[in-house]
Amino acid sequence: MTVERRRIGDRQVHPVGLGCMNIMHSYGPPADEHEAKALLVRALDIGCDFLDTATIYGLGRSEELIGEALGKRRQEYFLASKCVLGFREKQRTLDGRPEAIKAACEASLKRLRTDVIDLYYLHRPDPKVPVEESAGAMADLIREGKIRFYGLSEMGEDQLRRAHKVHPVAALQSEYSLWVRNPEIAVLEACRELGVAFVAFSPVGRGFLADPPADPSAFHDTDMRKVLFPRFSDENYAGNLPLLETARAVAREAGCSVAQLAIAWAMAKGDHVLPIPGTRSIRHLEENHAAAGVRLTAEQVSQLDAAFAPERAVGPRYSAAGQASVTTEMFDFEKSQHGG
């Protein structure tokens, strides 16, 4: 089946990209580096040409692996990375000042072994720096030829519109899946209106919509799902499992896996939506990539919308600390979960 490519800026990419966070970061110990490099090479070999990484992933190591594994094939893929959320002396930092953004870009270019980053995001809002100032630094980097486009990550409609007035935003990235519907409050439509690509990270619910863990309490101590994502907690997880019943039934009807169903559902929400599932498994990489060929009917999308109505999820999307680091919109019932 011919897959229609999707636009970021003036570029066209395969609609299902590869998120490169969990090869070195977040869901337990880092992947074996030889296996991680093999995954990256395989991604290009099957036509997955949109790779999304960040300074903070593995404290720079994710960017280095891409440079080491794919540096000689740089013209074959669209490369995204992120700044503001970074590190210094192995400690996380948050710095949206223009001079910090420009220094971070120089460091990322070296790690990625490239002279230009296609899409460079403000990874998180810095509450101490107006988004207009950070956007101005991105505009400078575009004029200098060090990045081609810039984007925002985990920000709401207000900051999107404010940044877009300084210099057009090419993409906004946020968590979006059957399990996390917050972009539907405002930013999904705002992106459509402004001609901004919407990049959906964690489209398979951090594994919940792929191979749901039998016992989240057995996660490795370094797995962020243990502390940052309350829906995986002992008191909430069992209440979320019934959500999968409809997904499994619709997946059988559509002739695909539940993970592919979740990715296809995100794609069905607009031709400006690009999901970027992450994985350490070549098998899952190939499965996710093939989801671009899954076509859901309007009835199937509506059935999934209803089964995964936002208020049916048990537990907030983020812990209080995680929610405090973003400016994404919340549903009214979520505000009460966070004391708002």
Side-chain angles (χ1 to χ4, degrees):
M1 180 180 293
T2 301
V3 173
E4 189 170 328
R5 297 169 73 79
R6 296 195 171 186
R7 181 182 64 82
I8 302 178
D10 63 0
R11 304 302 171 98
Q12 300 284 330
V13 299
H14 190 277
V16 180
L18 174 64
C20 298
M21 178 178 75
N22 54 344
I23 58 173
M24 292 305 301
H25 181 76
S26 299
Y27 301 139
D32 175 89
E33 293 197 356
H34 294 291
E35 294 178 2
K37 289 180 181 179
L39 178 84
L40 293 167
V41 169
R42 182 59 181 158
L44 295 197
D45 288 346
I46 63 174
C48 179
D49 58 359
F50 175 23
L51 306 183
D52 184 285
T53 185
T55 292
I56 195 64
Y57 298 165
L59 302 181
R61 189 60 186 144
S62 175
E63 289 181 323
E64 289 174 344
L65 283 175
I66 291 173
E68 292 168 11
L70 305 177
K72 294 181 179 178
R73 301 177 65 176
R74 179 64 185 89
Q75 301 306 312
E76 296 180 40
Y77 59 98
F78 185 91
L79 173 62
S81 192
K82 310 179 191 73
C83 60
V84 177
L85 186 57
F87 63 94
R88 186 178 301 113
E89 297 177 353
K90 297 186 177 180
Q91 298 297 315
R92 286 165 64 104
T93 60
L94 184 70
D95 197 339
R97 295 173 302 151
E99 59 269 32
I101 288 171
K102 293 176 181 181
C105 182
E106 293 292 348
S108 286
L109 288 168
K110 290 177 182 176
R111 287 191 292 266
L112 290 161
R113 300 189 182 186
T114 186
D115 57 2
V116 62
I117 297 169
D118 296 306
L119 175 62
Y120 203 42
Y121 289 98
L122 302 174
H123 199 165
R124 286 292 186 275
D126 182 346
K128 300 185 297 296
V129 181
V131 72
E132 290 86 350
E133 292 186 19
S134 299
M138 294 296 214
D140 289 343
L141 290 170
I142 291 170
R143 283 189 288 269
E144 294 166 10
K146 293 176 179 176
I147 67 175
R148 291 195 170 98
F149 310 104
Y150 87 104
L152 311 178
S153 177
E154 287 284 72
M155 299 190 201
E157 180 185 13
D158 175 66
Q159 285 175 308
L160 169 61
R161 293 187 183 278
R162 286 163 52 196
H164 196 73
K165 287 180 180 178
V166 175
H167 189 283
V169 176
L172 183 142
Q173 177 175 134
S174 199
E175 184 175 4
Y176 186 43
S177 70
L178 284 164
W179 209 19
V180 174
R181 304 280 289 280
N182 300 69
E184 295 174 7
I185 299 171
V187 294
L188 198 63
E189 182 55 36
C191 284
R192 188 197 311 272
E193 173 196 331
L194 297 173
V196 175
F198 182 88
V199 178
F201 74 76
S202 297
V204 295
R206 304 183 187 276
F208 178 71
L209 299 163
D211 296 320
D215 181 13
S217 65
F219 285 151
H220 191 274
D221 287 344
T222 61
D223 193 318
M224 292 195 312
R225 291 174 292 185
K226 274 195 119 157
V227 294
L228 194 58
F229 309 117
R231 292 179 185 176
F232 288 98
S233 68
D234 291 341
E235 60 268 33
N236 293 332
Y237 188 67
N240 281 304
L241 288 175
L243 294 172
L244 294 172
E245 294 174 6
T246 298
R248 288 171 175 147
V250 177
R252 286 193 296 270
E253 184 181 283
C256 64
S257 69
V258 173
Q260 289 175 325
L261 179 83
I263 294 166
W265 173 88
M267 291 179 58
K269 289 298 178 172
D271 58 11
H272 65 309
V273 178
L274 296 94
I276 52 166
T279 184
R280 299 179 178 191
S281 160
I282 286 180
R283 179 176 68 83
H284 285 162
L285 166 72
E286 294 171 345
E287 176 186 344
N288 294 342
H289 186 72
V294 175
R295 298 290 182 268
L296 302 180
T297 66
E299 290 75 18
Q300 289 169 331
V301 172
S302 295
Q303 186 179 357
L304 291 167
D305 285 350
F308 283 84
E311 64 274 12
R312 297 193 64 189
V314 181
R317 173 170 84 105
Y318 273 138
S319 66
Q323 187 62 45
S325 71
V326 304
T327 53
T328 50
E329 288 81 7
M330 287 192 291
F331 294 100
D332 288 341
F333 70 88
E334 290 180 298
K335 295 174 184 176
S336 63
Q337 292 173 337
H338 287 285

